[in-house]
Amino acid sequence: MADYANASIVVETVPPAEMGAALADDAAKKAKYGAIHLLVRGFLCTPFLAYGACVVFAMVAAGIPLGVAGLVFPAGYVTLSFLGLEMATGSFATMPIGMYAGTVTPFQVIRNWFWTMVGNLLGGIFFAWLLWFSSTRGGTVPIPPHSLLTVIAHTAEHKASYIQQGTIGWCAAIGMGVLCNWLVSLGSVMSKATRSTVGRIILMWVPIGMFFALGFEHTVVNMWLFPTGILAGAHVSLYDWWVWNQIPVTIGNILGAMVLNGTLWYYTHTLQERSNGSSSSSSLARPARA
């Protein structure tokens, strides 16, 4: 009876070594997606991030501090995660883990990143236009001074202000990108730390909520925020957006996810398992199949 009871227990917490194996398995699955599916899943992803951010900006417009309102933002991330959509910033950590584990090639890593980012950008531009068009009746209705679109426009101007410090500002944008995706890419990583649906939501919510509340820079969020801000009258040019935010922030997001989570975090648990002679070490190179 005792043996039967023990066999019936489902362990909810997953150790880091098994998390790494599951992420390597995810990378292998992502590598099999055709370009059109990466585009579609990437396109559908960004609007859900935008929905979460819009709720935050609406709360800010109502006078609620960003540090408090930002904790609501992960609702959009949780939605896209459970829908199986593709966000480039998560793949910046997941795909390198697959490469180290031998489940994907370097070419497959770059291919996934490229098509996912294109899809994310197209989805962001579409949502930006739809939000602006619907809110302003195609530009025929003036934007109120303390509205959602006004907050987004001011935020876009703030995010382009790195230009004021020149090279130092450009490097600071990279740093803000690193700080962001060190946290955001943990959404993908920590979702593997439990077998519970509620547990996954909580573990994803924590790092994503911290990132937005702290105001760090996320390349996919900016793919809809800047187009919306520009349409809403922000004093930001396409040059300002791309050269002084989108490009350096993307570099920072890649470094934060790939180096700190996709490499160092994965490496230390791989090394520990091998040094302990654990049988689970082989699972890191050969991810478990369902």
Side-chain angles (χ1 to χ4, degrees), residues 10-213:
V10 177
V11 178
E12 182 174 308
T13 303
V14 178
E18 292 183 23
M19 292 165 57
L23 289 164
D25 193 25
D26 279 356
K29 294 175 183 176
K30 289 175 182 287
K32 295 178 181 178
Y33 297 155
I36 185 64
H37 291 292
L38 289 173
L39 282 171
V40 171
R41 295 184 187 205
F43 177 89
L44 294 174
C45 162
T46 312
F48 288 107
L49 289 178
Y51 278 127
C54 282
V55 173
V56 174
F57 291 136
M59 294 170 68
V60 171
I64 298 175
L66 177 63
V68 176
L71 298 177
V72 178
F73 171 75
Y77 178 86
V78 169
T79 302
L80 71 89
S81 177
F82 278 97
L83 289 174
L85 304 179
E86 289 291 315
M87 186 174 71
T89 48
S91 293
F92 289 163
T94 301
M95 296 306 289
I97 287 175
M99 182 176 65
Y100 297 140
T103 61
V104 301
T105 66
F107 172 78
Q108 290 173 318
V109 172
I110 299 302
R111 175 182 174 276
N112 174 274
W113 289 359
F114 174 79
W115 289 114
T116 301
M117 289 190 69
V118 172
N120 289 160
L121 178 60
L122 293 175
I125 293 173
F126 171 74
F127 183 91
W129 176 84
L130 187 61
L131 177 63
W132 169 83
F133 179 85
S134 302
S135 301
T136 66
R137 310 300 192 270
T140 62
V141 176
I143 299 175
H146 300 289
S147 66
L148 170 64
L149 289 180
T150 302
V151 173
I152 294 174
H154 290 164
T155 303
E157 291 174 348
H158 173 73
K159 286 178 173 290
S161 65
Y162 298 106
I163 191 173
Q164 298 173 7
Q165 289 79 40
T167 302
I168 293 297
W170 199 83
C171 293
I174 294 178
M176 292 291 277
V178 171
L179 290 167
C180 163
N181 216 28
W182 193 354
L183 285 171
V184 173
S185 63
L186 284 180
S188 300
V189 174
M190 292 182 67
S191 69
K192 304 299 182 183
T194 176
R195 296 183 176 91
S196 162
T197 298
V198 175
R200 285 185 63 199
I201 293 174
I202 294 173
L203 290 177
M204 289 189 290
W205 201 287
V206 172
I208 305 299
M210 285 193 292
F211 130 71
F212 206 92

Side-chain angles (χ1 to χ4, degrees), residues 223-257:
M223 287 176 179
W224 77 269
L225 189 145
F226 272 99
T228 305
I230 292 171
L231 287 170
H235 298 293
V236 177
S237 67
L238 293 177
Y239 173 85
D240 296 337
W241 167 21
W242 280 93
V243 174
W244 290 97
N245 184 286
Q246 199 70 50
I247 292 175
V249 166
T250 300
I251 294 172
N253 282 177
I254 292 173
L255 293 175

